[in-house]
Amino acid sequence: MDVLKRSGAALTCAALTFAGAAQAHVAADPKQAIAGSYQAVVFRAGHGCNDVHATTAIRVEIPAGMAAARPQPKPGWSLQIERASPGAPVRAVTWTGLLPADQFDEFAILFHLPKEAGTLYFPTIQTCQGAVARWTDIPQAGQTGRLEHPAPSVTVTTPEPAAPSAGHHH
């Protein structure tokens, strides 16, 4: 009987650990932005890896087609901007510092978004003391359902047509 109780407790603990890891992720805000606009996107790390390991780095990969990507520096964190060559578009941004596992933080990048509508995915790697969380899953065309480790994303929409002016008429 004791073995069954311990096995059940271990399974329950494992299930809760897996559920917490599957639900928490690095998220992008806002979820939607206008094509061709300048938009600050905040990547929010809700907690450390597995809720127990302090975050030591956040690396955000920038999708192709971004006209500009300018990261916001953070006090207490170092910042690295990766490019294929000097003057080339930004490929990735990495912040390195220390964020306790029971705290959250936000990491911002100002983008000049593409002129075409669509969904932009930002594969993100959260490095922690003793663990790594890869938020890099991108859905395949036609795929439905939740991803285990979803990459942060922003849906780029076309601008709404301007409403006719209700101006002054004689």
Side-chain angles (χ1 to χ4, degrees):
M1 180 77 162
D2 258 40
V3 172
L4 290 177
K5 282 183 184 177
R6 281 188 298 225
S7 296
L11 287 172
T12 300
C13 194
L16 289 173
T17 299
F18 178 75
Q23 291 176 353
H25 60 279
V26 174
D29 185 37
K31 295 298 290 167
Q32 208 169 27
I34 305 287
S37 69
Y38 283 89
Q39 177 66 56
V41 177
V42 173
F43 297 90
R44 186 172 299 115
H47 55 73
C49 301
N50 301 323
D51 279 336
V52 296
H53 301 283
T55 298
T56 57
I58 296 287
R59 181 180 190 274
V60 177
E61 294 180 14
I62 311 304
M66 300 298 265
R70 295 185 180 106
Q72 180 178 19
K74 294 185 66 57
W77 291 73
S78 63
L79 178 63
Q80 179 184 1
I81 300 170
E82 298 174 34
R83 301 173 188 269
S85 61
V90 175
R91 291 173 33 174
V93 174
T94 304
W95 289 268
T96 306
L98 185 63
L99 176 63
D102 62 349
Q103 297 176 19
F104 85 98
D105 208 343
E106 298 177 328
F107 303 84
I109 303 175
L110 176 65
F111 293 106
H112 185 191
L113 299 174
K115 291 181 173 46
E116 302 79 32
T119 301
L120 298 171
Y121 293 95
F122 300 88
T124 301
I125 300 186
Q126 180 181 12
T127 303
C128 298
Q129 294 173 327
V132 174
R134 297 180 187 281
W135 307 109
T136 56
D137 292 353
I138 297 172
Q140 301 300 313
Q143 182 179 357
T144 59
R146 294 175 55 115
L147 298 171
E148 188 173 349
H149 299 100
S153 65
V154 174
T155 301
V156 177
T157 60
T158 55
E160 294 291 322
S165 174
H168 186 82
H169 297 286
H170 290 277

